[in-house]
Amino acid sequence: MKKLTAAIILSALLLFSLSGCGSGNSENSSGTDSSNAATNAVAGGEDKAPEVEINTENLDPIYGTDLKDGTYEISVDSSSSMFKISKCELTVSNGKMTAVMTMNGKGYLYLFMGKGENASESEYISFEENENGEHAFTVPVEALDMAVECSAFSKKKEQWYDRILVFRADSLPIDAYLESSIATSESLGLIDGEYTVDAVLSGGSGKAYVESPAKLTVENGKVFAEIVWSSSNYDYMIVDDEKYELLSSEGNSSFRIPVLYFDKNMPVSANTTAMSTPHEIEYTLYFDSASIKSKS
């Protein structure tokens, strides 16, 4: 009888242990529901979508101390076609920057600013659902025009996917900069006259380029550059929402456009007629102040 009672007690203890009652049922040792807990599992190459090349040519970091306090809508480049950002708002306050990235889907539970293998639960960034039901992540931004690591935890795959992001300074309005942080004709001490300057074009398919050095003219403190393209297929340019027409219908396309600032990528658009239908293409132009030479 004693042996039978002992066997019954032992069986009960074993059943209690297997049921998980002593470990919090479905929770893991940290007390977090195991179905929602992020891990340090990182997606390998075979599980990742092909990477998107990000143009980082002539990028110099722009810090919060270079900008005026305010909120600005900016563009963000992502190294993954699966990490789509539909909208990004940058907030600058006392030299610090944060960005609210509204996602194009709801597939990610957390972000971590770094590689997934180094993700620490205390540094997970959870999404917030906005009034439109979209998922948005608020992340710190060390600098614009600088490649930063960001890992996203997939709700479906339950693993981290490493990305590279670049918050683009060339999408900022010119008046977002502090006057002390941009190089202009005034800050460079350029007097009225003719100069040359090294000019670098980025963007588009990467095949187009402009002649360099370019002719530079300073008139009443305002700076203009003569841009000569590598083809005759452009019929107008847009700079700071203003349209500029061809200087001549002969030879390669050339335009006289304003130089808003030096030593930073300046956004421009050019309309190409080389396609089946005319198409505006976004580019940037970089004018190197250290290369400026007087023609007189």
CSV table of all heavy atoms in Angstrom, one decimal, residues 70-130:
chain,number,residue,atom,x,y,z
A,70,GLY,N,13.4,72.0,-35.8
A,70,GLY,CA,12.2,71.9,-36.6
A,70,GLY,C,11.9,70.5,-37.0
A,70,GLY,O,12.7,69.6,-36.7
A,71,THR,N,10.8,70.3,-37.7
A,71,THR,CA,10.5,69.0,-38.3
A,71,THR,C,10.4,69.1,-39.8
A,71,THR,O,9.8,70.0,-40.3
A,71,THR,CB,9.1,68.5,-37.7
A,71,THR,OG1,9.2,68.4,-36.3
A,71,THR,CG2,8.7,67.2,-38.3
A,72,TYR,N,11.1,68.1,-40.4
A,72,TYR,CA,11.2,68.2,-41.9
A,72,TYR,C,10.9,66.8,-42.5
A,72,TYR,O,11.3,65.8,-41.9
A,72,TYR,CB,12.7,68.5,-42.3
A,72,TYR,CG,13.2,69.8,-41.6
A,72,TYR,CD1,14.0,69.6,-40.4
A,72,TYR,CD2,12.9,71.0,-42.1
A,72,TYR,CE1,14.5,70.7,-39.8
A,72,TYR,CE2,13.4,72.2,-41.4
A,72,TYR,CZ,14.2,72.0,-40.3
A,72,TYR,OH,14.7,73.1,-39.6
A,73,GLU,N,10.2,66.8,-43.6
A,73,GLU,CA,10.0,65.5,-44.3
A,73,GLU,C,11.2,65.2,-45.2
A,73,GLU,O,11.6,66.1,-46.0
A,73,GLU,CB,8.7,65.6,-45.1
A,73,GLU,CG,8.3,64.2,-45.7
A,73,GLU,CD,6.9,64.2,-46.3
A,73,GLU,OE1,6.1,65.0,-45.9
A,73,GLU,OE2,6.7,63.3,-47.1
A,74,ILE,N,11.8,64.1,-45.0
A,74,ILE,CA,13.0,63.7,-45.7
A,74,ILE,C,12.8,62.3,-46.4
A,74,ILE,O,11.9,61.6,-46.0
A,74,ILE,CB,14.2,63.7,-44.8
A,74,ILE,CG1,14.1,62.6,-43.8
A,74,ILE,CG2,14.5,65.1,-44.2
A,74,ILE,CD1,15.4,62.4,-43.0
A,75,SER,N,13.7,62.0,-47.3
A,75,SER,CA,13.8,60.7,-47.9
A,75,SER,C,14.8,59.8,-47.2
A,75,SER,O,15.8,60.3,-46.7
A,75,SER,CB,14.0,60.8,-49.4
A,75,SER,OG,15.2,61.5,-49.6
A,76,VAL,N,14.6,58.5,-47.3
A,76,VAL,CA,15.5,57.6,-46.7
A,76,VAL,C,15.8,56.5,-47.7
A,76,VAL,O,14.9,55.9,-48.3
A,76,VAL,CB,14.9,56.9,-45.4
A,76,VAL,CG1,16.0,56.0,-44.7
A,76,VAL,CG2,14.4,58.0,-44.5
A,77,ASP,N,17.1,56.2,-47.9
A,77,ASP,CA,17.5,55.1,-48.8
A,77,ASP,C,17.6,53.8,-47.9
A,77,ASP,O,18.2,53.9,-46.8
A,77,ASP,CB,18.8,55.4,-49.5
A,77,ASP,CG,18.7,56.5,-50.5
A,77,ASP,OD1,17.5,56.8,-50.9
A,77,ASP,OD2,19.7,57.0,-51.0
A,78,SER,N,17.2,52.7,-48.5
A,78,SER,CA,17.3,51.4,-47.8
A,78,SER,C,18.0,50.4,-48.7
A,78,SER,O,17.7,50.4,-49.9
A,78,SER,CB,15.9,50.9,-47.4
A,78,SER,OG,15.9,49.5,-47.0
A,79,SER,N,18.8,49.6,-48.0
A,79,SER,CA,19.5,48.6,-48.8
A,79,SER,C,18.7,47.4,-49.1
A,79,SER,O,19.2,46.4,-49.8
A,79,SER,CB,20.8,48.1,-48.1
A,79,SER,OG,20.4,47.5,-46.8
A,80,SER,N,17.4,47.4,-48.7
A,80,SER,CA,16.5,46.2,-49.0
A,80,SER,C,15.2,46.7,-49.6
A,80,SER,O,14.6,47.6,-49.0
A,80,SER,CB,16.3,45.4,-47.7
A,80,SER,OG,15.3,44.4,-47.9
A,81,SER,N,14.8,46.0,-50.6
A,81,SER,CA,13.5,46.3,-51.2
A,81,SER,C,12.4,45.9,-50.4
A,81,SER,O,11.2,46.3,-50.6
A,81,SER,CB,13.4,45.6,-52.6
A,81,SER,OG,13.5,44.2,-52.5
A,82,MET,N,12.6,45.0,-49.4
A,82,MET,CA,11.6,44.5,-48.5
A,82,MET,C,11.4,45.5,-47.3
A,82,MET,O,10.5,45.3,-46.5
A,82,MET,CB,12.0,43.1,-48.0
A,82,MET,CG,12.1,42.1,-49.1
A,82,MET,SD,10.6,41.9,-50.0
A,82,MET,CE,9.5,41.1,-48.8
A,83,PHE,N,12.3,46.4,-47.1
A,83,PHE,CA,12.2,47.4,-46.0
A,83,PHE,C,11.8,48.7,-46.6
A,83,PHE,O,12.6,49.6,-46.9
A,83,PHE,CB,13.5,47.5,-45.2
A,83,PHE,CG,13.4,48.2,-43.9
A,83,PHE,CD1,13.0,47.6,-42.8
A,83,PHE,CD2,13.8,49.6,-43.9
A,83,PHE,CE1,12.9,48.3,-41.6
A,83,PHE,CE2,13.7,50.3,-42.7
A,83,PHE,CZ,13.2,49.6,-41.5
A,84,LYS,N,10.5,48.9,-46.8
A,84,LYS,CA,10.0,50.1,-47.6
A,84,LYS,C,9.5,51.1,-46.6
A,84,LYS,O,8.6,50.8,-45.8
A,84,LYS,CB,8.9,49.7,-48.5
A,84,LYS,CG,9.4,48.7,-49.6
A,84,LYS,CD,8.3,48.3,-50.6
A,84,LYS,CE,8.8,47.4,-51.7
A,84,LYS,NZ,7.7,46.9,-52.6
A,85,ILE,N,10.0,52.3,-46.7
A,85,ILE,CA,9.6,53.5,-45.9
A,85,ILE,C,8.7,54.4,-46.7
A,85,ILE,O,9.2,55.0,-47.7
A,85,ILE,CB,10.8,54.2,-45.3
A,85,ILE,CG1,11.7,53.2,-44.6
A,85,ILE,CG2,10.4,55.4,-44.5
A,85,ILE,CD1,13.1,53.7,-44.4
A,86,SER,N,7.4,54.5,-46.4
A,86,SER,CA,6.5,55.3,-47.2
A,86,SER,C,6.6,56.8,-46.9
A,86,SER,O,6.4,57.7,-47.7
A,86,SER,CB,5.1,54.9,-47.0
A,86,SER,OG,4.7,55.0,-45.7
A,87,LYS,N,7.1,57.1,-45.6
A,87,LYS,CA,7.2,58.5,-45.2
A,87,LYS,C,8.2,58.6,-44.0
A,87,LYS,O,8.2,57.7,-43.2
A,87,LYS,CB,5.8,59.1,-44.8
A,87,LYS,CG,5.8,60.5,-44.3
A,87,LYS,CD,4.5,61.0,-43.9
A,87,LYS,CE,4.4,62.4,-43.4
A,87,LYS,NZ,3.1,62.9,-43.0
A,88,CYS,N,9.0,59.7,-44.0
A,88,CYS,CA,9.9,59.9,-42.9
A,88,CYS,C,9.9,61.3,-42.5
A,88,CYS,O,10.1,62.2,-43.3
A,88,CYS,CB,11.3,59.4,-43.3
A,88,CYS,SG,12.5,59.6,-41.9
A,89,GLU,N,9.7,61.6,-41.2
A,89,GLU,CA,9.7,62.9,-40.6
A,89,GLU,C,10.9,63.0,-39.7
A,89,GLU,O,11.0,62.3,-38.7
A,89,GLU,CB,8.4,63.3,-39.9
A,89,GLU,CG,7.3,63.6,-40.9
A,89,GLU,CD,6.1,64.2,-40.1
A,89,GLU,OE1,6.0,64.1,-38.9
A,89,GLU,OE2,5.3,64.9,-40.8
A,90,LEU,N,11.8,64.0,-40.0
A,90,LEU,CA,13.0,64.2,-39.1
A,90,LEU,C,12.7,65.4,-38.2
A,90,LEU,O,12.2,66.4,-38.6
A,90,LEU,CB,14.2,64.6,-40.0
A,90,LEU,CG,15.5,64.9,-39.3
A,90,LEU,CD1,16.1,63.6,-38.8
A,90,LEU,CD2,16.4,65.7,-40.2
A,91,THR,N,13.0,65.2,-36.9
A,91,THR,CA,12.8,66.3,-35.9
A,91,THR,C,14.2,66.6,-35.4
A,91,THR,O,14.9,65.7,-34.9
A,91,THR,CB,11.9,65.8,-34.8
A,91,THR,OG1,10.6,65.6,-35.3
A,91,THR,CG2,11.8,66.9,-33.7
A,92,VAL,N,14.5,67.9,-35.4
A,92,VAL,CA,15.8,68.4,-34.9
A,92,VAL,C,15.5,69.3,-33.7
A,92,VAL,O,14.6,70.2,-33.7
A,92,VAL,CB,16.5,69.3,-36.0
A,92,VAL,CG1,17.9,69.7,-35.4
A,92,VAL,CG2,16.7,68.5,-37.3
A,93,SER,N,16.1,68.9,-32.6
A,93,SER,CA,15.9,69.7,-31.4
A,93,SER,C,17.2,69.8,-30.6
A,93,SER,O,17.8,68.7,-30.2
A,93,SER,CB,14.8,69.0,-30.5
A,93,SER,OG,14.6,69.7,-29.3
A,94,ASN,N,17.7,71.0,-30.4
A,94,ASN,CA,18.9,71.2,-29.6
A,94,ASN,C,20.1,70.3,-30.1
A,94,ASN,O,20.8,69.8,-29.3
A,94,ASN,CB,18.7,70.9,-28.1
A,94,ASN,CG,17.7,71.9,-27.5
A,94,ASN,OD1,17.7,73.1,-27.8
A,94,ASN,ND2,16.8,71.4,-26.7
A,95,GLY,N,20.2,70.2,-31.4
A,95,GLY,CA,21.4,69.5,-31.9
A,95,GLY,C,21.2,68.0,-32.0
A,95,GLY,O,22.1,67.3,-32.5
A,96,LYS,N,20.1,67.5,-31.5
A,96,LYS,CA,19.8,66.0,-31.6
A,96,LYS,C,18.7,65.8,-32.7
A,96,LYS,O,17.8,66.6,-32.9
A,96,LYS,CB,19.3,65.5,-30.2
A,96,LYS,CG,20.3,65.7,-29.1
A,96,LYS,CD,21.5,64.9,-29.3
A,96,LYS,CE,22.5,65.1,-28.1
A,96,LYS,NZ,23.7,64.3,-28.2
A,97,MET,N,18.8,64.6,-33.3
A,97,MET,CA,17.8,64.3,-34.3
A,97,MET,C,17.1,62.9,-34.0
A,97,MET,O,17.8,61.9,-33.6
A,97,MET,CB,18.5,64.2,-35.7
A,97,MET,CG,19.1,65.5,-36.1
A,97,MET,SD,19.7,65.5,-37.8
A,97,MET,CE,21.2,64.4,-37.6
A,98,THR,N,15.8,62.9,-34.3
A,98,THR,CA,15.1,61.6,-34.3
A,98,THR,C,14.3,61.6,-35.6
A,98,THR,O,13.9,62.6,-36.2
A,98,THR,CB,14.1,61.5,-33.1
A,98,THR,OG1,13.3,62.6,-33.1
A,98,THR,CG2,14.9,61.4,-31.8
A,99,ALA,N,13.9,60.4,-36.1
A,99,ALA,CA,13.1,60.2,-37.3
A,99,ALA,C,12.0,59.3,-37.0
A,99,ALA,O,12.1,58.2,-36.4
A,99,ALA,CB,14.0,59.7,-38.4
A,100,VAL,N,10.8,59.6,-37.5
A,100,VAL,CA,9.6,58.8,-37.4
A,100,VAL,C,9.5,58.2,-38.8
A,100,VAL,O,9.1,58.9,-39.8
A,100,VAL,CB,8.3,59.5,-37.0
A,100,VAL,CG1,7.2,58.6,-37.1
A,100,VAL,CG2,8.5,60.1,-35.7
A,101,MET,N,9.7,56.9,-39.0
A,101,MET,CA,9.7,56.2,-40.2
A,101,MET,C,8.3,55.4,-40.3
A,101,MET,O,8.1,54.5,-39.5
A,101,MET,CB,10.8,55.2,-40.4
A,101,MET,CG,12.2,55.9,-40.4
A,101,MET,SD,13.5,54.7,-40.9
A,101,MET,CE,13.4,53.5,-39.6
A,102,THR,N,7.5,55.8,-41.2
A,102,THR,CA,6.2,55.1,-41.5
A,102,THR,C,6.4,54.1,-42.5
A,102,THR,O,6.9,54.4,-43.6
A,102,THR,CB,5.1,56.1,-41.9
A,102,THR,OG1,5.0,57.2,-40.9
A,102,THR,CG2,3.8,55.4,-42.1
A,103,MET,N,6.1,52.8,-42.2
A,103,MET,CA,6.4,51.7,-43.0
A,103,MET,C,5.3,51.4,-44.0
A,103,MET,O,4.2,51.8,-43.8
A,103,MET,CB,6.7,50.5,-42.2
A,103,MET,CG,7.7,50.6,-41.1
A,103,MET,SD,9.3,51.3,-41.6
A,103,MET,CE,9.8,49.9,-42.7
A,104,ASN,N,5.7,50.8,-45.1
A,104,ASN,CA,4.8,50.4,-46.2
A,104,ASN,C,4.0,49.1,-45.9
A,104,ASN,O,3.2,48.7,-46.7
A,104,ASN,CB,5.5,50.3,-47.5
A,104,ASN,CG,4.6,50.4,-48.7
A,104,ASN,OD1,3.7,51.2,-48.6
A,104,ASN,ND2,4.9,49.7,-49.7
A,105,GLY,N,4.3,48.5,-44.7
A,105,GLY,CA,3.7,47.3,-44.4
A,105,GLY,C,3.7,47.1,-42.8
A,105,GLY,O,4.2,47.9,-42.1
A,106,LYS,N,3.3,45.9,-42.4
A,106,LYS,CA,3.2,45.6,-41.0
A,106,LYS,C,4.0,44.4,-40.6
A,106,LYS,O,3.6,43.7,-39.6
A,106,LYS,CB,1.7,45.5,-40.5
A,106,LYS,CG,0.9,46.8,-40.8
A,106,LYS,CD,-0.5,46.6,-40.4
A,106,LYS,CE,-1.3,47.9,-40.6
A,106,LYS,NZ,-2.8,47.7,-40.2
A,107,GLY,N,5.0,44.1,-41.3
A,107,GLY,CA,5.7,42.8,-41.1
A,107,GLY,C,6.8,42.8,-40.1
A,107,GLY,O,7.4,41.7,-39.8
A,108,TYR,N,7.1,44.0,-39.5
A,108,TYR,CA,8.2,44.0,-38.5
A,108,TYR,C,7.7,44.4,-37.1
A,108,TYR,O,6.9,45.3,-37.0
A,108,TYR,CB,9.3,45.0,-38.9
A,108,TYR,CG,9.9,44.7,-40.3
A,108,TYR,CD1,9.6,45.4,-41.4
A,108,TYR,CD2,10.8,43.6,-40.4
A,108,TYR,CE1,10.2,45.1,-42.6
A,108,TYR,CE2,11.3,43.2,-41.6
A,108,TYR,CZ,11.0,44.0,-42.7
A,108,TYR,OH,11.6,43.6,-43.9
A,109,LEU,N,8.2,43.7,-36.1
A,109,LEU,CA,7.8,44.0,-34.7
A,109,LEU,C,8.7,45.0,-34.1
A,109,LEU,O,8.3,45.8,-33.3
A,109,LEU,CB,7.8,42.7,-33.9
A,109,LEU,CG,6.8,41.6,-34.2
A,109,LEU,CD1,7.0,40.4,-33.4
A,109,LEU,CD2,5.4,42.2,-34.0
A,110,TYR,N,10.0,44.9,-34.4
A,110,TYR,CA,11.0,45.7,-33.7
A,110,TYR,C,12.1,46.2,-34.7
A,110,TYR,O,12.3,45.5,-35.7
A,110,TYR,CB,11.7,45.0,-32.6
A,110,TYR,CG,10.9,44.2,-31.7
A,110,TYR,CD1,10.9,42.8,-31.8
A,110,TYR,CD2,10.1,44.8,-30.7
A,110,TYR,CE1,10.1,42.0,-30.9
A,110,TYR,CE2,9.3,44.0,-29.8
A,110,TYR,CZ,9.3,42.6,-30.0
A,110,TYR,OH,8.5,41.8,-29.1
A,111,LEU,N,12.7,47.3,-34.4
A,111,LEU,CA,14.0,47.7,-35.0
A,111,LEU,C,15.1,47.7,-34.0
A,111,LEU,O,14.8,47.9,-32.8
A,111,LEU,CB,13.8,49.0,-35.7
A,111,LEU,CG,12.8,49.2,-36.8
A,111,LEU,CD1,13.0,50.6,-37.4
A,111,LEU,CD2,13.0,48.1,-37.9
A,112,PHE,N,16.3,47.6,-34.4
A,112,PHE,CA,17.5,47.7,-33.6
A,112,PHE,C,18.5,48.5,-34.4
A,112,PHE,O,18.8,48.1,-35.5
A,112,PHE,CB,18.0,46.4,-33.1
A,112,PHE,CG,19.3,46.5,-32.4
A,112,PHE,CD1,19.4,47.0,-31.1
A,112,PHE,CD2,20.5,46.1,-33.0
A,112,PHE,CE1,20.6,47.1,-30.4
A,112,PHE,CE2,21.7,46.2,-32.3
A,112,PHE,CZ,21.8,46.7,-31.0
A,113,MET,N,19.0,49.6,-33.8
A,113,MET,CA,20.0,50.4,-34.6
A,113,MET,C,21.4,49.7,-34.4
A,113,MET,O,22.2,50.1,-33.5
A,113,MET,CB,20.0,51.8,-34.1
A,113,MET,CG,18.6,52.5,-34.2
A,113,MET,SD,17.9,52.3,-35.9
A,113,MET,CE,18.9,53.4,-36.9
A,114,GLY,N,21.6,48.8,-35.3
A,114,GLY,CA,22.9,48.0,-35.3
A,114,GLY,C,22.6,46.7,-35.9
A,114,GLY,O,21.6,46.5,-36.6
A,115,LYS,N,23.6,45.8,-35.8
A,115,LYS,CA,23.4,44.5,-36.4
A,115,LYS,C,22.5,43.6,-35.5
A,115,LYS,O,22.6,43.7,-34.3
A,115,LYS,CB,24.8,43.8,-36.6
A,115,LYS,CG,25.6,44.4,-37.7
A,115,LYS,CD,26.9,43.6,-38.0
A,115,LYS,CE,27.7,44.1,-39.1
A,115,LYS,NZ,26.9,44.0,-40.4
A,116,GLY,N,21.7,42.7,-36.1
A,116,GLY,CA,20.8,41.9,-35.4
A,116,GLY,C,21.5,41.0,-34.4
A,116,GLY,O,20.9,40.8,-33.3
A,117,GLU,N,22.7,40.6,-34.7
A,117,GLU,CA,23.4,39.7,-33.8
A,117,GLU,C,23.7,40.4,-32.5
A,117,GLU,O,24.0,39.7,-31.4
A,117,GLU,CB,24.6,39.1,-34.4
A,117,GLU,CG,25.7,40.2,-34.8
A,117,GLU,CD,26.9,39.6,-35.5
A,117,GLU,OE1,26.8,38.5,-36.0
A,117,GLU,OE2,27.9,40.3,-35.5
A,118,ASN,N,23.7,41.7,-32.5
A,118,ASN,CA,24.0,42.5,-31.3
A,118,ASN,C,22.8,43.0,-30.6
A,118,ASN,O,22.9,43.8,-29.6
A,118,ASN,CB,25.0,43.6,-31.6
A,118,ASN,CG,26.3,43.1,-32.2
A,118,ASN,OD1,26.9,42.1,-31.8
A,118,ASN,ND2,26.8,43.8,-33.2
A,119,ALA,N,21.6,42.7,-31.1
A,119,ALA,CA,20.4,43.3,-30.6
A,119,ALA,C,20.2,42.9,-29.1
A,119,ALA,O,20.3,41.8,-28.7
A,119,ALA,CB,19.2,42.8,-31.4
A,120,SER,N,20.0,44.0,-28.3
A,120,SER,CA,19.7,43.9,-26.9
A,120,SER,C,18.3,44.2,-26.6
A,120,SER,O,17.8,45.3,-27.1
A,120,SER,CB,20.6,44.8,-26.1
A,120,SER,OG,20.2,44.9,-24.7
A,121,GLU,N,17.5,43.4,-25.9
A,121,GLU,CA,16.1,43.6,-25.7
A,121,GLU,C,15.8,45.0,-25.1
A,121,GLU,O,14.8,45.6,-25.4
A,121,GLU,CB,15.5,42.5,-24.8
A,121,GLU,CG,14.0,42.5,-24.7
A,121,GLU,CD,13.5,41.3,-24.1
A,121,GLU,OE1,14.2,40.4,-23.7
A,121,GLU,OE2,12.2,41.2,-23.9
A,122,SER,N,16.7,45.5,-24.3
A,122,SER,CA,16.5,46.8,-23.7
A,122,SER,C,16.6,47.9,-24.8
A,122,SER,O,16.1,49.1,-24.5
A,122,SER,CB,17.5,47.1,-22.6
A,122,SER,OG,18.8,47.1,-23.1
A,123,GLU,N,17.1,47.6,-25.9
A,123,GLU,CA,17.3,48.6,-27.0
A,123,GLU,C,16.3,48.4,-28.2
A,123,GLU,O,16.5,49.0,-29.2
A,123,GLU,CB,18.7,48.7,-27.5
A,123,GLU,CG,19.7,49.1,-26.4
A,123,GLU,CD,21.1,49.1,-26.9
A,123,GLU,OE1,21.8,48.1,-26.8
A,123,GLU,OE2,21.6,50.2,-27.3
A,124,TYR,N,15.4,47.4,-28.1
A,124,TYR,CA,14.5,47.2,-29.1
A,124,TYR,C,13.6,48.4,-29.3
A,124,TYR,O,13.2,49.1,-28.3
A,124,TYR,CB,13.5,46.0,-28.8
A,124,TYR,CG,14.1,44.6,-28.8
A,124,TYR,CD1,13.4,43.5,-28.4
A,124,TYR,CD2,15.5,44.4,-29.2
A,124,TYR,CE1,13.9,42.3,-28.4
A,124,TYR,CE2,16.0,43.2,-29.2
A,124,TYR,CZ,15.2,42.1,-28.8
A,124,TYR,OH,15.8,40.8,-28.7
A,125,ILE,N,13.3,48.8,-30.5
A,125,ILE,CA,12.4,49.9,-30.8
A,125,ILE,C,11.1,49.3,-31.4
A,125,ILE,O,11.1,48.7,-32.5
A,125,ILE,CB,13.0,50.9,-31.8
A,125,ILE,CG1,14.3,51.5,-31.3
A,125,ILE,CG2,12.0,52.0,-32.2
A,125,ILE,CD1,15.1,52.2,-32.3
A,126,SER,N,10.0,49.4,-30.7
A,126,SER,CA,8.7,48.9,-31.1
A,126,SER,C,8.0,49.9,-32.0
A,126,SER,O,8.2,51.1,-31.9
A,126,SER,CB,7.9,48.5,-29.9
A,126,SER,OG,8.5,47.6,-29.0
A,127,PHE,N,7.1,49.3,-32.8
A,127,PHE,CA,6.3,50.2,-33.7
A,127,PHE,C,5.2,50.8,-32.9
A,127,PHE,O,4.7,50.3,-31.8
A,127,PHE,CB,5.7,49.4,-34.8
A,127,PHE,CG,4.7,48.4,-34.5
A,127,PHE,CD1,3.3,48.8,-34.3
A,127,PHE,CD2,5.0,47.1,-34.2
A,127,PHE,CE1,2.4,47.8,-34.0
A,127,PHE,CE2,4.1,46.1,-33.9
A,127,PHE,CZ,2.7,46.5,-33.8
A,128,GLU,N,4.7,51.9,-33.4
A,128,GLU,CA,3.5,52.6,-32.9
A,128,GLU,C,2.5,52.6,-34.1
A,128,GLU,O,2.9,52.9,-35.2
A,128,GLU,CB,3.7,54.0,-32.3
A,128,GLU,CG,4.6,53.9,-31.1
A,128,GLU,CD,4.7,55.3,-30.5
A,128,GLU,OE1,4.2,56.3,-31.1
A,128,GLU,OE2,5.4,55.5,-29.4
A,129,GLU,N,1.2,52.4,-33.8
A,129,GLU,CA,0.2,52.5,-34.9
A,129,GLU,C,-0.3,53.9,-35.0
A,129,GLU,O,-0.8,54.4,-33.9
A,129,GLU,CB,-0.9,51.4,-34.7
A,129,GLU,CG,-1.8,51.2,-35.9
A,129,GLU,CD,-2.6,50.0,-35.7
A,129,GLU,OE1,-2.2,48.9,-36.1
A,129,GLU,OE2,-3.8,50.2,-35.2
A,130,ASN,N,-0.2,54.5,-36.1
A,130,ASN,CA,-0.7,55.9,-36.2
A,130,ASN,C,-2.2,55.9,-36.5
A,130,ASN,O,-2.9,54.9,-36.6
A,130,ASN,CB,0.0,56.7,-37.3
A,130,ASN,CG,-0.1,56.1,-38.7
A,130,ASN,OD1,-1.1,55.4,-39.0
A,130,ASN,ND2,0.8,56.4,-39.6
